[in-house]
Amino acid sequence: MSEILLEVKGLKKHFPIKSGLLRRTVGQVKAVDGVSFTLNEGETLGIVGESGCGKSTMGRMVMRVLEPTEGTILLYGQDITRMSPGGLRKLRKDFQMIFQDPYSSLNQRMLIRDLIAEPFRIHGQLSSADIDKEVIRLLETVGLRATDLFRHPHEFSGGQRQRIAIARALSLNPKLIVADEAVSALDVSIQSQILNLMVDLKRQYHLSYIFISHNLAVVKHISDRVGVMYLGHMVEIGLKKSLFHKPLHPYTEALLSAAPEPKRNSTRERIILQGDVPSPANPPHGCPFHTRCPKAFDRCSKERPILKEVLPDHQVACFLYE
């Protein structure tokens, strides 16, 4: 049985809405509103949902790039939610992030050697000579050459820049990597190369991933388990095979029905959702999905369902299964 690496409990992030000359707070945008899940060692958890569902905000809170409004984040059982910057710095080597756009996340004025060496220098782990050897090893690990050391990020293609970002994330041998739309800005052919690289690195370095994406095919390829988010809530989470073959939540069913399939394999009827996604500044009472759900009934507008296990390793927040 794998050890639990990460445990997230009741995580919330509410952004204040300010108005008027005095910039008074007049409301809250509930970007993430009570998300809970666990991640085991060596596991990849895919997080999917429409744009604006809160998945990237959730990933940034796990990384402590954003401060949570409420909730708890445990890394190996240690609470990092309110940890001081000094205490967090000691743990930072254990969890790293890969962003969507490597052009923005990499300093364009720095040489590739300095970009990858920077984490070593911050944490003071190696001598200068050893750092240079380690930087070359990391570059070659992600499919680049030692001759690339003295080039700048803008001299590389998008896929190569993402390889550099991955090398930088690997530099301190992290246990967890949060990948936020890490391949969505790349061409389809390059996407598959980066995904395969990440799968190989997972085996080689015994990594765990939280892989955030709106692309179901990408999540299906790389994930062991999949969580589905809607309007700041986790509405379903389960093993990949179970969730893709037997989705339980009506929103998951609609998402999967919209995903393109080869015609010969297409057995799923297309579900067209009515209406727009409600504003996270004014979410509906009860189940967040009930305003668009084709299976909603009276209780759905009055109570919020909680995430419950209804199949082995498969949880859903829906009154249909009570």
Side-chain angles (χ1 to χ4, degrees):
M1 188 75 177
S2 297
E3 185 180 352
I4 292 177
L5 170 64
L6 181 76
E7 188 172 4
V8 172
K9 300 178 182 177
L11 200 62
K12 295 184 181 183
K13 183 61 181 178
H14 297 172
F15 295 99
I17 302 170
K18 296 186 181 292
S19 181
L21 190 64
L22 300 177
R23 307 300 294 163
R24 289 196 177 101
T25 298
V26 296
Q28 300 281 339
V29 174
K30 297 178 180 179
V32 177
D33 201 21
V35 166
S36 300
F37 62 89
T38 60
L39 178 71
N40 295 324
E41 280 187 334
E43 183 181 45
T44 299
L45 174 65
I47 303 291
V48 294
E50 293 170 282
S51 295
C53 71
K55 55 189 187 293
S56 292
T57 302
M58 182 272 295
R60 282 167 165 76
M61 282 193 288
V62 168
M63 287 299 303
R64 286 291 313 275
V65 175
L66 283 175
E67 288 292 323
T69 303
E70 266 183 50
T72 307
I73 304 164
L74 303 174
L75 186 69
Y76 281 126
Q78 185 174 1
D79 189 349
I80 65 168
T81 323
R82 304 282 180 258
M83 189 173 282
S84 68
L88 197 61
R89 182 178 175 180
K90 294 175 184 175
L91 284 176
R92 181 59 72 188
K93 58 183 174 56
D94 289 333
F95 56 112
Q96 294 291 314
M97 192 163 192
I98 302 169
F99 294 92
Q100 176 178 352
D101 181 10
Y103 191 83
S104 299
S105 62
L106 298 174
N107 188 331
Q108 300 301 310
R109 296 181 179 183
M110 292 177 71
L111 295 172
I112 300 308
R113 179 186 68 175
D114 297 327
L115 278 167
I116 299 175
E118 190 175 34
F120 294 116
R121 295 193 174 112
I122 289 172
H123 289 271
Q125 290 191 336
L126 299 172
S127 67
S128 295
D130 288 336
I131 287 175
D132 286 340
K133 290 177 186 175
E134 192 64 14
V135 168
I136 292 171
R137 185 190 68 79
L138 285 166
L139 272 179
E140 292 174 344
T141 298
V142 299
L144 297 173
R145 300 166 298 180
T147 52
D148 293 325
L149 280 173
F150 299 99
R151 298 169 67 189
H152 291 86
H154 66 81
E155 299 178 66
F156 294 86
S157 67
Q160 288 172 323
R161 282 197 291 266
Q162 199 60 289
R163 289 174 187 269
I164 294 163
I166 291 170
R168 181 182 164 94
L170 286 174
S171 58
L172 296 173
N173 290 318
K175 305 290 190 300
L176 167 66
I177 290 181
V178 177
D180 184 12
E181 300 280 8
V183 297
S184 63
L186 306 176
D187 292 338
V188 175
S189 59
I190 306 301
Q191 284 185 12
S192 61
Q193 294 176 21
I194 298 298
L195 288 173
N196 290 334
L197 172 65
M198 292 181 71
V199 171
D200 292 341
L201 293 173
K202 177 186 171 182
R203 297 192 193 103
Q204 185 177 343
Y205 287 87
H206 308 292
L207 295 168
S208 301
Y209 291 127
I210 294 177
F211 194 90
I212 297 166
S213 179
H214 64 276
N215 189 323
L216 287 165
V218 166
V219 167
K220 188 176 183 180
H221 176 77
I222 199 170
S223 301
D224 301 306
R225 284 192 304 138
V226 178
V228 181
M229 286 187 67
Y230 180 81
L231 206 64
H233 299 265
M234 191 75 77
V235 297
E236 185 168 0
I237 187 166
L239 295 172
K240 173 178 67 177
K241 186 175 180 181
S242 174
L243 189 138
F244 275 87
H245 286 84
K246 192 176 181 180
L248 299 178
H249 198 280
Y251 176 64
T252 311
E253 290 179 345
L255 269 187
L256 293 178
S257 79
E261 283 186 300
K263 204 162 189 177
R264 64 181 181 276
N265 296 334
S266 185
T267 56
R268 195 173 277 132
E269 183 183 347
R270 180 74 189 269
I271 300 170
I272 307 295
L273 295 177
Q274 302 300 314
D276 297 323
V277 180
S279 168
N282 186 26
H285 293 289
C287 173
F289 186 59
H290 86 266
T291 57
R292 304 174 73 202
C293 181
K295 300 178 181 180
F297 51 97
D298 286 347
R299 187 181 178 189
C300 302
S301 62
K302 298 170 184 173
E303 297 178 47
R304 180 181 295 177
I306 61 172
L307 210 57
K308 290 183 177 178
E309 187 172 59
V310 298
L311 291 174
D313 294 317
H314 197 154
Q315 297 173 290
V316 65
C318 185
F319 292 128
L320 292 172
Y321 301 95
E322 291 200 352

